[in-house]
Amino acid sequence: MPALSFAPEYLRHSLLGIAGICPKKFKYLDQARRQGKTSDLSAKDYIIIGSGLDAGLGCLWSQNWDLTQALEKATQVLLIEAQRLAIEAQSRVFELVQAGIRDYASHWTLARWHEIVAVHPYLDPRTRADWLYVPFANGGNGTEPILMMPDLVVRHNGYLTVVDHKTSGKPYVAESWEFSTQLLSYCYVLQERFPNEAILYQVDYLKRPSRKDDDRWLFPPTEPFVFTAQKAEAIFAWMFERCTAINRARRAAAPLRNPDACYGWEPCEFLQECWDGGGD
């Protein structure tokens, strides 16, 4: 999960989701993205852990399973992310990330035989153009390209498979991922590049240690899902609707409000600003 400061010239999938929930939050994060800044709304250890693992695992795949390079890349990203979020880099975070990369390399040693089609575009800038989705391509394009960022694409047993690394302290539940808009968006853009190939998508699940004195990561088995025509139609409609919401938010003279999004587990951080003070 790269920081918002990565590739600020492009929209990204996470902003598509936010645009349909809270227009105010979208405008806040969009402005931060344009300025090359990282949001200060997510300064938590698990964000840092995810960023470090994301870079380290991508490096493993792209550098022919070189564990030393992967650990160095992860450490570099951890330091940068901690600095951007203005928090102290905890040694425990570094230990967890390094243990996760080592365990992953050992557990999935046979996976290196998969044919690699693409690794995360922030590790290889040359591939970024391949992952751009241009909304409203056949009409008025009021939204800049969206950069999709799959962690990994491999060809295995005749199928193109989108693989996304996910870390969590909770058990893997397949039903939580089959209709993930993130994974389906990646598949949609991949299919535009490879229209005649069957596409699967799969979560590469890393379960964090459950106890403070335990560094052992677990890798529950996960199954691939098939990217069908029905799913392609549904995710296109979702992306189109989200891009429309973005354009609407940018054109609005007064602040847009979505009461359904004002309360979740706790009040939205923009609640008072939207309803009491207004503003853009």
Side-chain angles (χ1 to χ4, degrees), residues 10 36 46 57 99 115 117 128 133 144 184 192 199 205 210:
Y10 299 120
Y46 71 85
L57 300 185
E115 179 191 347
V117 177
R128 289 180 193 169
Y133 169 69
E144 61 266 51
L184 292 174
E192 288 188 332
I199 293 178
Y205 206 75
S210 57

Side-chain angles (χ1 to χ4, degrees), residues 178-203:
E178 183 173 4
F179 300 100
S180 161
T181 57
Q182 179 188 18
L183 293 170
L184 292 174
S185 298
Y186 295 166
C187 290
Y188 186 89
V189 176
L190 182 65
Q191 191 163 68
E192 288 188 332
R193 291 178 54 201
F194 299 94
N196 298 319
E197 294 203 44
I199 293 178
L200 306 178
Y201 56 104
Q202 185 169 1
V203 171

Side-chain angles (χ1 to χ4, degrees), residues 197-216:
E197 294 203 44
I199 293 178
L200 306 178
Y201 56 104
Q202 185 169 1
V203 171
D204 192 4
Y205 206 75
L206 293 82
K207 187 176 182 299
R208 294 193 299 269
S210 57
R211 300 190 307 273
K212 291 184 178 180
D213 58 347
D214 184 10
D215 284 348
R216 194 172 39 126

